[in-house]
Amino acid sequence: MAELSMEEVPRELKATASFAVAALHALAREEARDRKPKRLLEDGLATWAQFRGRLHATHLLELLLEDAAVTQPTAFRAPGDFPSVSSLPKAVVDGWVREAAQLELDASALDYLSAQAKRLGITTRMARSELHRVKAHHQILELPGTGAQLAHHLVSTHDDVFLQSNFVVACRDWRDVVLAGLVAVELGVSGPAPVSLDPDLRLARTSDRRFDYVIGLDPDKGGDFRKAQLVEWFPSATVVLV
């Protein structure tokens, strides 16, 4: 899969660049699937060329993210604890915009989300096939560290299970949050994704919501919680670590 280079991005802007590249890839994929108007993939960036004036590619990226964040904020609204995309080098962003069409935009959902996870530094090493079959009424907590990849698998393999209705995705940090947002985009979900920044599960443990399943990464693969601890915290749930 083609990759947008971040070699010329200063170290202090690497996190911003990772978010920006992930979001830009998602935007281009949405355009390729005709789920968003073509702007990045438009021949010669014709619409942008008509009114850009003295604006540059960083402004284009900011506008596209601002527009996309209206309906899908979890994926396209930049995390607030590091510099904004406007801080990125103009020449680097210009190269990203020009090369967006060269990304593998028709990859399978699994390959695409795995590439996004790797880009964000999130593991993809998990045995999805070990997850139980769930039902429409089940409430499911996905543990920090996987960014809704397990939710995506279950939604994709069940006709009556939906991200917004059945899941809470607990997140370690902004990377988990962004990946969960990208999963929501991939699934065609509008509105905020059902995520919480909850690395120690304090919010999930004190919530009134009752979970039927708690799913996540096995500690031997980088997960943060042992099964015994999760069973103690969520005694009414089936705990599945993969």
Side-chain angles (χ1 to χ4, degrees):
M1 180 176 289
E3 186 55 274
L4 302 179
S5 174
M6 294 192 290
E7 289 183 2
E8 297 181 21
V9 176
R11 182 177 180 179
E12 65 272 15
L13 295 177
K14 290 294 187 183
T16 300
S18 295
F19 161 73
V21 167
L24 188 146
H25 190 169
L27 289 170
R29 183 173 169 90
E30 290 291 281
E31 290 186 15
R33 300 163 83 183
D34 295 321
R35 300 208 299 194
K36 290 189 182 298
K38 284 187 170 55
R39 294 292 182 264
L40 289 168
L41 303 185
E42 188 178 22
D43 290 342
L45 296 173
T47 301
W48 175 242
Q50 285 181 359
F51 70 87
R52 64 177 294 178
R54 296 183 179 180
L55 301 179
H56 46 75
T58 302
H59 294 118
L60 173 60
L61 180 56
E62 285 185 295
L63 289 170
L64 291 175
L65 290 175
E66 183 178 339
D67 182 61
V70 172
T71 55
Q72 295 170 313
T74 313
F76 297 118
R77 184 170 294 153
D81 57 351
F82 54 73
S84 70
V85 296
S86 63
S87 304
L88 293 168
K90 298 179 180 62
V92 172
V93 178
D94 184 65
W96 292 345
V97 169
R98 285 187 283 103
E99 295 166 15
Q102 299 175 24
L103 294 167
E104 189 175 346
L105 301 177
D106 59 352
S108 69
L110 178 59
D111 287 345
Y112 161 71
L113 290 173
S114 293
Q116 290 282 39
K118 291 174 183 175
R119 179 180 280 145
L120 293 166
I122 297 174
T123 186
T124 61
R125 192 169 65 97
M126 58 197 81
R128 295 168 176 82
S129 62
E130 294 181 10
L131 293 173
H132 294 199
R133 183 158 188 84
V134 297
K135 297 182 180 180
H137 65 276
H138 285 152
Q139 296 298 299
I140 305 160
L141 172 66
E142 182 166 342
L143 299 174
T146 50
Q149 292 178 83
L150 298 179
H152 179 269
H153 173 78
L154 290 174
V155 172
S156 300
T157 54
H158 293 69
D159 293 334
D160 54 354
V161 174
F162 302 94
L163 185 66
Q164 295 288 64
S165 303
N166 298 93
F167 289 89
V168 170
V169 181
C171 298
R172 281 177 178 165
D173 57 22
W174 70 268
R175 296 170 180 82
D176 263 4
V177 173
V178 169
L179 184 58
L182 296 173
V183 166
V185 171
E186 184 67 14
L187 293 171
V189 173
S190 293
V195 307
S196 61
L197 191 57
D198 193 15
D200 60 2
L201 298 180
R202 180 181 59 82
L203 296 177
R205 285 183 279 141
T206 58
S207 171
D208 292 333
R209 192 165 181 172
R210 177 187 176 278
F211 296 106
D212 300 286
Y213 283 93
V214 174
I215 61 175
L217 197 62
D218 189 286
D220 292 339
K221 297 179 182 178
D224 297 331
F225 304 98
R226 293 286 173 186
K227 185 172 183 177
Q229 180 67 80
L230 294 166
V231 169
E232 180 180 340
W233 283 343
F234 306 100
S236 64
T238 299
V239 177
V240 183
L241 302 179
V242 300

